């Protein structure tokens, strides 16, 4: 492994922005995301930005973004993603203000993709047109299942018909790039049940489907009281049948759990998995930056709780800001091969081979010894033009990555 002073020049990769809105109405039992129940929203009331510290939070997002501008290094944003929590609890005006700030402070590339996660409930649907007018051009609707029993199991607060209406309302609001999130491997779910969920999503004509397996994560209600889910053989059968069905319907699998119509893969997803850079603003948001002048690659993280985030920094002087930088962790030279491959190998097609040296500062030869062994096992393609698994090897990505763990 080359030493730090032997690194090749780093190239600045494309840049995205992630905006974290941390509040939700109810914490789902499977959720391990940095989301916080908005307890001050009255029970049974329609949540709104007026009942959240919306103005103060957007002010803080501006300070957060300004503090990280030196790391932008002249690039414009190719994608923006509003995640949560439930970003659709915020008003279209607040989302529009954030977008105006991002455009004025950083700038947008032509054809920028701007995604907002939304719940399918009727209250959120009423705001879809406003989000579209504010500049959001891609909506990601958290359906998870259309089945009423599964929605109850998952602690969701919408119904199957509301989810279907949300997709049609999004179309009526002007969206022509819509994602639906669905889960499989749910408690008591059969292959027929799982395929029925997929069929309902396909029938709605959405452009993108994220179809991922329920996993039981620490610090969730399901971890404390695990539900009975299908066994590994049943899960494998569900996945095989679901992938075949989506392919028949014209949805190409481009990432582990992401399927899209031709040309409509999420640009934001692709940016992550290509080991590119992204600004993270908001409570608990993560970021990644490449610093060619010093040969460093850093990851950033903001404090997690909304209260602590809102307490960060204070205004000082004429137009000045006393706002702390996020916590920074450097990606060590010896960790870069694994970090790169953990992202790139999630993509079915992998990434161009030349991007390894450009984005890690390491020669391609740093991968060669283990790669040749994996190639002999027919797990990866030749290390010539692309860094990718074979179709067979794609089911063994975790085992492949084990080969690139840093020594010691």
């Amino acid at each position: 492994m080359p030493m730090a002073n032997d690194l090749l020049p780093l190239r600045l990769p494309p840049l995205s922005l992630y905006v974290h809105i941390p509040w939700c109405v109810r914490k789902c039992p499977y959720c391990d995301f940095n989301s916080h129940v908005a307890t001050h929203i009255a029970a049974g009331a329609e949540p709104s930005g007026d009942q959240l510290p919306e103005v103060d939070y957007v002010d803080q997002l501006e300070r957060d973004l300004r503090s990280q501008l030196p790391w932008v290094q002249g690039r414009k944003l190719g994608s923006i993603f509003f995640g949560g929590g439930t970003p659709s609890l915020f008003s279209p005006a607040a989302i529009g203000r954030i977008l105006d700030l991002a455009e004025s402070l950083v700038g947008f590339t032509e054809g920028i993709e701007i995604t907002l996660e939304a719940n399918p409930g009727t209250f959120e649907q009423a705001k879809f047109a406003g989000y579209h007018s504010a500049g959001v051009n891609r909506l990601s609707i958290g359906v998870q299942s259309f089945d009423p029993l599964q929605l109850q199991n998952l602690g969701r607060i919408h119904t199957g018909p509301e989810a279907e209406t949300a997709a049609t309302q999004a179309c009526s609001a002007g969206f022509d790039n819509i994602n639906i999130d669905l889960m499989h491997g749910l408690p008591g779910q059969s292959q027929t049940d799982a395929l029925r969920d997929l069929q309902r999503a396909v029938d709605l004509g959405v452009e993108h489907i994220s179809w991922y397996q329920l996993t039981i994560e620490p610090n969730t209600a399901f971890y404390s009281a695990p539900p009975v889910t299908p066994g590994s053989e049943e899960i494998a059968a569900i996945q095989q049948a679901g992938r075949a069905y989506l392919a028949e319907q014209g949805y190409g699998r481009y990432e582990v759990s992401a399927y899209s119509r031709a040309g409509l893969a999420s640009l934001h997803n692709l940016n992550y998995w290509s080991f590119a850079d992204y600004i993270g603003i908001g409570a608990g948001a993560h970021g990644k930056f490449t610093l060619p002048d010093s040969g460093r690659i850093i990851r950033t993280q903001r404090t997690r709780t909304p209260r602590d985030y809102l307490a960060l920094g204070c205004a000082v002087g004429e137009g000045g800001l006393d706002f702390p930088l996020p916590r920074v962790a450097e990606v060590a030279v010896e960790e870069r091969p694994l970090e790169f491959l953990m992202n790139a190998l999630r993509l079915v097609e992998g990434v161009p081979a030349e991007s390894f040296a450009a984005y890690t500062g390491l020669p391609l030869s740093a991968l060669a010894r283990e790669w040749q062994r994996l190639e002999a096992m027919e797990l990866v393609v030749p290390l010539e033009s692309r860094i990718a698994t074979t179709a067979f090897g794609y089911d063994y990505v975790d085992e492949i990555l084990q080969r690139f763990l840093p020594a010691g």
Side-chain angles (χ1 to χ4, degrees):
M1 178 67 63
M3 302 297 290
N5 55 0
D6 296 326
L7 291 175
L8 301 171
L10 287 171
R11 187 174 77 206
L12 276 177
L15 184 68
S16 292
L17 170 66
Y18 175 76
V19 184
H20 194 73
I21 311 294
W23 291 281
C24 57
V25 178
R26 180 193 296 176
K27 185 80 170 179
C28 297
Y30 58 84
C31 179
D32 69 335
F33 295 155
N34 183 36
S35 58
H36 303 263
V37 175
T39 53
H40 49 292
I41 293 177
E46 288 185 339
S48 72
D50 293 339
Q51 297 163 298
L52 294 168
E54 184 179 271
V55 172
D56 290 343
Y57 194 78
V58 175
D59 287 344
Q60 202 74 325
L61 290 174
E62 177 181 359
R63 298 182 185 110
D64 197 348
L65 181 57
R66 287 183 182 276
S67 76
Q68 299 185 57
L69 289 178
W71 290 329
V72 169
Q73 301 173 88
R75 289 169 291 178
K76 294 184 178 182
L77 297 170
S79 69
I80 298 175
F81 194 98
F82 291 88
T86 306
S88 53
L89 291 180
F90 269 28
S91 68
I95 299 301
R97 183 182 162 208
I98 296 166
L99 292 178
D100 288 344
L101 287 167
E103 185 171 21
S104 63
L105 294 175
V106 184
F108 293 172
T109 62
E110 185 176 352
I112 185 174
E113 173 193 274
I114 302 174
T115 303
L116 182 132
E117 289 184 332
N119 274 345
T122 54
F123 175 73
E124 279 87 349
Q125 293 175 35
K127 295 187 283 187
F128 285 175
Y131 293 135
H132 190 266
S133 296
V136 177
N137 55 27
R138 184 174 182 272
L139 208 60
S140 182
I141 304 174
V143 174
Q144 314 312 346
S145 177
F146 294 94
D147 183 276
L149 177 60
Q150 294 298 352
L151 289 171
Q152 182 178 345
N153 289 337
L154 296 172
R156 304 297 289 171
I157 58 176
H158 65 270
T159 65
E162 281 180 325
E164 293 178 339
T165 301
T168 58
Q169 287 285 83
C171 289
S172 298
F175 287 97
D176 57 7
N177 194 356
I178 299 168
N179 170 66
I180 280 182
D181 278 348
L182 288 175
M183 286 183 169
H184 65 272
L186 305 178
Q189 187 182 53
S190 67
Q191 180 175 313
T192 300
D193 296 333
L195 289 177
R196 186 180 298 118
D197 271 346
L198 286 176
Q199 182 178 0
R200 291 176 78 172
V202 169
D203 287 347
L204 289 168
V206 296
E207 289 74 26
H208 191 286
I209 296 174
S210 297
W211 189 55
Y212 53 97
Q213 182 183 342
L214 170 66
T215 55
I216 309 302
E217 303 290 349
N219 302 314
T220 65
F222 274 175
Y223 190 78
S224 301
V228 178
T229 55
S232 57
E233 291 186 3
E234 294 171 281
I235 291 290
I238 287 172
Q239 291 174 341
Q240 184 176 6
R243 290 167 188 164
Y245 173 72
L246 288 170
E248 290 169 0
Q249 300 301 315
Y251 291 85
R253 186 187 188 197
Y254 69 93
E255 188 264 337
V256 172
S257 56
Y259 304 76
S260 75
R261 299 285 191 192
L264 290 169
S266 166
L267 299 181
H268 199 80
N269 285 354
L270 292 174
N271 194 68
Y272 282 147
W273 308 135
S274 299
F275 203 57
D277 285 358
Y278 49 98
I279 310 167
I281 61 173
H286 292 254
K288 172 188 171 284
F289 294 97
T290 302
L291 309 176
D293 289 348
S294 62
R296 299 169 64 213
I297 300 171
I298 60 172
R299 293 197 180 277
T300 66
Q301 183 180 6
R302 279 296 181 196
T303 187
R304 287 176 59 86
T305 66
R307 177 180 297 176
D308 290 344
Y309 181 76
L310 285 165
L312 287 173
C314 58
V316 293
E318 185 73 23
L321 288 169
D322 180 17
F323 199 80
L325 290 171
R327 186 165 63 250
V328 170
E330 186 160 350
V331 181
V333 173
E334 61 272 17
E335 296 171 352
R336 293 183 189 181
L338 180 62
E339 287 265 348
F340 183 92
L341 294 174
M342 284 174 62
N343 290 277
L345 296 187
R346 288 185 66 100
L347 295 172
V348 171
E349 298 297 328
V351 297
E354 58 89 20
S355 67
F356 179 78
Y359 295 164
T360 68
L362 298 170
L364 204 53
S365 58
L367 301 178
R369 181 190 302 177
E370 288 299 337
W371 200 268
Q372 288 168 0
R373 294 171 181 168
L374 294 165
E375 186 183 341
M377 299 165 66
E378 300 184 346
L379 293 170
V380 297
V381 302
L383 199 60
E384 295 171 357
S385 61
R386 299 200 69 77
I387 295 175
T389 69
T390 61
F392 169 68
Y394 197 61
D395 290 330
Y396 298 94
V397 169
D398 288 344
E399 289 80 359
I400 292 170
L401 294 175
Q402 290 288 325
R403 302 292 191 99
F404 296 94
L405 288 171

